[in-house]
PDB file of all heavy atoms in Angstrom:
ATOM      1  N   THR H1111      14.328   8.703   4.158  1.00  0.00           N
ATOM      2  CA  THR H1111      13.717   8.688   2.830  1.00  0.00           C
ATOM      3  C   THR H1111      13.643   7.233   2.356  1.00  0.00           C
ATOM      4  O   THR H1111      14.313   6.350   2.902  1.00  0.00           O
ATOM      5  CB  THR H1111      14.561   9.482   1.823  1.00  0.00           C
ATOM      6  OG1 THR H1111      15.814   8.807   1.673  1.00  0.00           O
ATOM      7  CG2 THR H1111      14.802  10.913   2.288  1.00  0.00           C
ATOM      8  N   ALA H1116      16.121   1.870   1.485  1.00  0.00           N
ATOM      9  CA  ALA H1116      16.641   0.855   0.555  1.00  0.00           C
ATOM     10  C   ALA H1116      18.130   0.613   0.815  1.00  0.00           C
ATOM     11  O   ALA H1116      18.596  -0.537   0.774  1.00  0.00           O
ATOM     12  CB  ALA H1116      16.405   1.297  -0.886  1.00  0.00           C
ATOM     13  N   GLN H1120      19.579  -2.933   1.973  1.00  0.00           N
ATOM     14  CA  GLN H1120      20.602  -3.564   1.134  1.00  0.00           C
ATOM     15  C   GLN H1120      21.815  -3.943   1.993  1.00  0.00           C
ATOM     16  O   GLN H1120      22.298  -5.068   1.968  1.00  0.00           O
ATOM     17  CB  GLN H1120      20.988  -2.561   0.025  1.00  0.00           C
ATOM     18  CG  GLN H1120      22.179  -2.942  -0.819  1.00  0.00           C
ATOM     19  CD  GLN H1120      21.883  -4.149  -1.698  1.00  0.00           C
ATOM     20  OE1 GLN H1120      20.723  -4.463  -1.951  1.00  0.00           O
ATOM     21  NE2 GLN H1120      22.926  -4.840  -2.141  1.00  0.00           N
ATOM     22  N   ASP H1129      20.575 -14.720  16.985  1.00  0.00           N
ATOM     23  CA  ASP H1129      19.316 -14.881  17.719  1.00  0.00           C
ATOM     24  C   ASP H1129      19.135 -13.676  18.646  1.00  0.00           C
ATOM     25  O   ASP H1129      20.044 -13.334  19.411  1.00  0.00           O
ATOM     26  CB  ASP H1129      19.375 -16.175  18.538  1.00  0.00           C
ATOM     27  CG  ASP H1129      18.046 -16.495  19.214  1.00  0.00           C
ATOM     28  OD1 ASP H1129      17.227 -15.563  19.414  1.00  0.00           O
ATOM     29  OD2 ASP H1129      17.825 -17.668  19.543  1.00  0.00           O
ATOM     30  N   GLY H1136      17.226 -10.116  31.212  1.00  0.00           N
ATOM     31  CA  GLY H1136      16.297 -10.661  32.210  1.00  0.00           C
ATOM     32  C   GLY H1136      15.147 -11.427  31.595  1.00  0.00           C
ATOM     33  O   GLY H1136      15.346 -12.243  30.685  1.00  0.00           O
ATOM     34  N   ALA H1138      12.867 -10.625  29.622  1.00  0.00           N
ATOM     35  CA  ALA H1138      12.495 -10.334  28.239  1.00  0.00           C
ATOM     36  C   ALA H1138      12.960 -11.437  27.288  1.00  0.00           C
ATOM     37  O   ALA H1138      12.323 -11.695  26.268  1.00  0.00           O
ATOM     38  CB  ALA H1138      13.046  -8.979  27.810  1.00  0.00           C
ATOM     39  N   ALA H1173      13.222  17.693  19.567  1.00  0.00           N
ATOM     40  CA  ALA H1173      12.343  18.525  20.393  1.00  0.00           C
ATOM     41  C   ALA H1173      11.467  17.666  21.312  1.00  0.00           C
ATOM     42  O   ALA H1173      11.227  18.025  22.467  1.00  0.00           O
ATOM     43  CB  ALA H1173      11.468  19.395  19.502  1.00  0.00           C
ATOM     44  N   ALA H1190       8.370 -15.632   9.819  1.00  0.00           N
ATOM     45  CA  ALA H1190       7.941 -17.002  10.139  1.00  0.00           C
ATOM     46  C   ALA H1190       7.458 -17.152  11.586  1.00  0.00           C
ATOM     47  O   ALA H1190       7.938 -17.993  12.335  1.00  0.00           O
ATOM     48  CB  ALA H1190       9.105 -17.976   9.873  1.00  0.00           C
ATOM     49  N   GLU H1223       8.018  -2.092   4.340  1.00  0.00           N
ATOM     50  CA  GLU H1223       6.697  -1.525   4.041  1.00  0.00           C
ATOM     51  C   GLU H1223       5.627  -2.426   4.666  1.00  0.00           C
ATOM     52  O   GLU H1223       5.767  -3.650   4.659  1.00  0.00           O
ATOM     53  CB  GLU H1223       6.471  -1.429   2.527  1.00  0.00           C
ATOM     54  CG  GLU H1223       7.392  -0.449   1.808  1.00  0.00           C
ATOM     55  CD  GLU H1223       7.193   1.023   2.215  1.00  0.00           C
ATOM     56  OE1 GLU H1223       6.279   1.318   3.025  1.00  0.00           O
ATOM     57  OE2 GLU H1223       7.971   1.860   1.730  1.00  0.00           O
ATOM     58  N   PRO H1224       4.550  -1.832   5.191  1.00  0.00           N
ATOM     59  CA  PRO H1224       3.522  -2.616   5.882  1.00  0.00           C
ATOM     60  C   PRO H1224       2.907  -3.706   5.001  1.00  0.00           C
ATOM     61  O   PRO H1224       2.504  -4.765   5.502  1.00  0.00           O
ATOM     62  CB  PRO H1224       2.469  -1.580   6.280  1.00  0.00           C
ATOM     63  CG  PRO H1224       2.915  -0.274   5.758  1.00  0.00           C
ATOM     64  CD  PRO H1224       4.297  -0.388   5.229  1.00  0.00           C
ATOM     65  N   GLY H1230       2.968  -8.360  12.920  1.00  0.00           N
ATOM     66  CA  GLY H1230       4.135  -7.524  13.203  1.00  0.00           C
ATOM     67  C   GLY H1230       3.813  -6.144  13.741  1.00  0.00           C
ATOM     68  O   GLY H1230       4.702  -5.292  13.799  1.00  0.00           O
ATOM     69  N   LEU H1232       3.469  -3.256  16.345  1.00  0.00           N
ATOM     70  CA  LEU H1232       4.005  -2.905  17.656  1.00  0.00           C
ATOM     71  C   LEU H1232       2.807  -2.438  18.481  1.00  0.00           C
ATOM     72  O   LEU H1232       2.136  -1.475  18.098  1.00  0.00           O
ATOM     73  CB  LEU H1232       5.047  -1.789  17.521  1.00  0.00           C
ATOM     74  CG  LEU H1232       5.559  -1.150  18.817  1.00  0.00           C
ATOM     75  CD1 LEU H1232       6.286  -2.160  19.694  1.00  0.00           C
ATOM     76  CD2 LEU H1232       6.490   0.024  18.493  1.00  0.00           C
ATOM     77  N   THR H1236      -0.994   2.069  26.744  1.00  0.00           N
ATOM     78  CA  THR H1236      -0.967   3.466  27.164  1.00  0.00           C
ATOM     79  C   THR H1236      -2.118   3.713  28.126  1.00  0.00           C
ATOM     80  O   THR H1236      -2.955   2.828  28.341  1.00  0.00           O
ATOM     81  CB  THR H1236      -1.134   4.424  25.960  1.00  0.00           C
ATOM     82  OG1 THR H1236      -2.509   4.394  25.550  1.00  0.00           O
ATOM     83  CG2 THR H1236      -0.256   4.027  24.791  1.00  0.00           C
ATOM     84  N   LYS H1244       1.831   0.342  13.059  1.00  0.00           N
ATOM     85  CA  LYS H1244       2.464  -0.314  11.911  1.00  0.00           C
ATOM     86  C   LYS H1244       2.616   0.768  10.846  1.00  0.00           C
ATOM     87  O   LYS H1244       1.615   1.188  10.252  1.00  0.00           O
ATOM     88  CB  LYS H1244       1.600  -1.475  11.422  1.00  0.00           C
ATOM     89  CG  LYS H1244       2.212  -2.298  10.299  1.00  0.00           C
ATOM     90  CD  LYS H1244       1.415  -3.591  10.084  1.00  0.00           C
ATOM     91  CE  LYS H1244       1.965  -4.386   8.937  1.00  0.00           C
ATOM     92  NZ  LYS H1244       1.317  -5.715   8.814  1.00  0.00           N
ATOM     93  N   GLY H1248      10.566   3.872   6.834  1.00  0.00           N
ATOM     94  CA  GLY H1248      11.158   5.204   6.981  1.00  0.00           C
ATOM     95  C   GLY H1248      10.514   6.019   8.092  1.00  0.00           C
ATOM     96  O   GLY H1248      11.108   6.969   8.585  1.00  0.00           O
ATOM     97  N   VAL H1261       5.587  -7.043  20.084  1.00  0.00           N
ATOM     98  CA  VAL H1261       5.527  -7.103  18.616  1.00  0.00           C
ATOM     99  C   VAL H1261       4.754  -8.369  18.275  1.00  0.00           C
ATOM    100  O   VAL H1261       5.129  -9.473  18.679  1.00  0.00           O
ATOM    101  CB  VAL H1261       6.933  -7.130  17.978  1.00  0.00           C
ATOM    102  CG1 VAL H1261       6.830  -7.257  16.466  1.00  0.00           C
ATOM    103  CG2 VAL H1261       7.713  -5.869  18.356  1.00  0.00           C
ATOM    104  N   PRO H1263       3.111 -11.557  16.237  1.00  0.00           N
ATOM    105  CA  PRO H1263       3.757 -12.498  15.326  1.00  0.00           C
ATOM    106  C   PRO H1263       3.671 -12.061  13.861  1.00  0.00           C
ATOM    107  O   PRO H1263       2.634 -11.577  13.421  1.00  0.00           O
ATOM    108  CB  PRO H1263       2.963 -13.793  15.541  1.00  0.00           C
ATOM    109  CG  PRO H1263       2.390 -13.663  16.908  1.00  0.00           C
ATOM    110  CD  PRO H1263       2.125 -12.196  17.108  1.00  0.00           C
ATOM    111  N   ARG H1269       9.560  -8.498   8.662  1.00  0.00           N
ATOM    112  CA  ARG H1269       9.505  -7.149   9.249  1.00  0.00           C
ATOM    113  C   ARG H1269      10.900  -6.794   9.752  1.00  0.00           C
ATOM    114  O   ARG H1269      11.404  -7.383  10.709  1.00  0.00           O
ATOM    115  CB  ARG H1269       8.516  -7.134  10.417  1.00  0.00           C
ATOM    116  CG  ARG H1269       8.467  -5.814  11.214  1.00  0.00           C
ATOM    117  CD  ARG H1269       7.806  -6.097  12.554  1.00  0.00           C
ATOM    118  NE  ARG H1269       7.379  -4.948  13.309  1.00  0.00           N
ATOM    119  CZ  ARG H1269       8.124  -4.332  14.228  1.00  0.00           C
ATOM    120  NH1 ARG H1269       9.364  -4.709  14.451  1.00  0.00           N
ATOM    121  NH2 ARG H1269       7.613  -3.341  14.926  1.00  0.00           N
ATOM    122  N   ALA H1272      14.611  -0.857  13.020  1.00  0.00           N
ATOM    123  CA  ALA H1272      15.710  -0.426  13.882  1.00  0.00           C
ATOM    124  C   ALA H1272      15.092   0.068  15.172  1.00  0.00           C
ATOM    125  O   ALA H1272      14.011   0.659  15.167  1.00  0.00           O
ATOM    126  CB  ALA H1272      16.503   0.687  13.218  1.00  0.00           C
ATOM    127  N   GLN H1291       5.223  21.034  23.682  1.00  0.00           N
ATOM    128  CA  GLN H1291       4.093  21.865  23.224  1.00  0.00           C
ATOM    129  C   GLN H1291       4.503  23.335  23.149  1.00  0.00           C
ATOM    130  O   GLN H1291       4.157  24.042  22.201  1.00  0.00           O
ATOM    131  CB  GLN H1291       2.887  21.700  24.162  1.00  0.00           C
ATOM    132  CG  GLN H1291       2.296  20.286  24.200  1.00  0.00           C
ATOM    133  CD  GLN H1291       1.863  19.774  22.844  1.00  0.00           C
ATOM    134  OE1 GLN H1291       1.416  20.538  21.994  1.00  0.00           O
ATOM    135  NE2 GLN H1291       2.021  18.479  22.605  1.00  0.00           N
TER     136      GLN H1291
END
Side-chain angles (χ1 to χ4, degrees):
T1111 65
Q1120 171 68 20
D1129 186 338
E1223 294 295 357
L1232 171 63
T1236 75
K1244 185 168 177 173
V1261 177
R1269 174 198 194 268
Q1291 296 303 327

